[in-house]
Amino acid sequence: QFHMIKHEDLTWKESLGQGSFTHIFRGSKTDQRDGVTHTTEVLLKVLDANHKNCWESFFEAASLMSQISHKHLLLVYGISVHKSKNIMVQEFVKHGALDLYLKKSMSVSVSWKLDVAKQLACALNFLEEKNIAHGNICAKNLLLAREGDPSSDNSPFIKLSDPGTSMALLGKDVVLDRIPWVAPEVLDTLEIELECDKWSFGTTLWEIFNNGEAPLQGQDLIQKQQFYEHFSNLPALEWTELADLIAQCMQYQPELRPSCRSIIRQLNSLITSDYEILHATGTLPK
Ligand SMILES: N#Cc1ccc(Nc2nc(N)cc(-n3cnc(CCO)c3)n2)cc1
């Protein structure tokens, strides 16, 4: 169920960093279509050689993304296996990971952030309708395809990346380090259900409205584990309606978390609320 890409059709460029057990590189792929050679810019995601045993899960994650297509889901062109290297070939998303973008550009507006949040909620709604849990929702896995800028009215556009290697295969420490994105119930079961993505959506909302700052930044694994043991919550945002939505998503009882439809409805009312005007001008419209 995968398109196999020949290694010689890939060109490798600079390293762009790393994820869990993976390294990512900018690159390009060439393919012949009706006798014409096409060169496409791609992102090459390579599974670390010392985690070769995870290759099924690595490709499982990718195949999840290539079985279904949606405008806010990352496009995976295929895989390439060469000697001991397992490579996922993804579309190259122009502006990269959202967490880094938010940290760099502190000047995105409240409506920009709400627009991104709504796009993520739509992607999750699409997955929920297909009963597919993603399992690794976070700002680092949101890729910015279009910046959108305040001057012209074009808005940002994001794509949800593949979930990467499944929790079951990641070491306990990697799972603990994903606190507070990973839902509390996952620590016991290592099973990902739809409700887990709602929890992670709440954490990601918190990140977006804190300009990409990681929640529980700098806390060690013990402190992170205690955060769940004490049923703690993230510091509430000033905007109470938004803080309420985050709190609804980050409820310790999975069945109490809102449906995607409810999340989208609440985001729509925040988008139409006067907060943006009040926030921008300090006064409410007459
Ligand atoms: N400067 C810069 C710059 C860097 C990267 C991209 N593009 C891109 N395209 C993708 N398909 C995936 C990613 N990506 C980034 N970090 C991860 C790991 C966490 O998911 C994945 N980046 C564009 C510009």
Side-chain angles (χ1 to χ4, degrees), residues 16 24 43 74 90-97 140-141 143:
L16 292 173
I24 57 173
L43 189 286
L74 179 73
Q90 305 178 346
E91 71 172 302
F92 185 81
V93 179
K94 195 165 185 307
H95 301 283
K140 184 193 284 285
N141 279 339
L143 304 168

Side-chain angles (χ1 to χ4, degrees), residues 36 47 49 79 91 129 206 208 226 241 246 251:
V36 180
L47 182 65
I79 59 174
E91 71 172 302
E129 282 171 355
W206 193 93
I208 292 170
Q226 285 172 342
E241 287 84 350
I246 292 174
Q251 293 194 75

Side-chain angles (χ1 to χ4, degrees), residues 14-20 22-26 41-45 74-75 89-100 104 136 138-144 159 161-162:
E14 78 273 23
S15 161
L16 292 173
Q18 49 201 358
S20 303
T22 57
H23 278 74
I24 57 173
F25 299 84
R26 186 195 293 265
E41 197 174 25
V42 296
L43 189 286
L44 300 166
K45 194 169 187 178
L74 179 73
L75 177 62
V89 184
Q90 305 178 346
E91 71 172 302
F92 185 81
V93 179
K94 195 165 185 307
H95 301 283
L98 184 66
D99 64 326
L100 296 182
K104 253 187 345 227
N136 197 0
C138 58
K140 184 193 284 285
N141 279 339
L142 290 181
L143 304 168
L144 191 61
K159 299 222 168 196
S161 181
D162 67 283

Side-chain angles (χ1 to χ4, degrees), residues 31 40 44 62-63 71-72 76 86 100 143 146 148 160 178 180 190 200 206 211-212 221 227 241-242 257 279:
D31 44 350
T40 314
L44 300 166
S63 80
K71 60 181 179 175
H72 290 309
V76 175
N86 294 297
L100 296 182
L143 304 168
R146 193 178 63 216
L160 177 58
R178 287 193 182 176
L190 290 183
S200 310
W206 193 93
N211 295 315
L221 299 187
F227 182 85
E241 287 84 350
L242 186 67
R257 296 169 199 159
H279 189 76

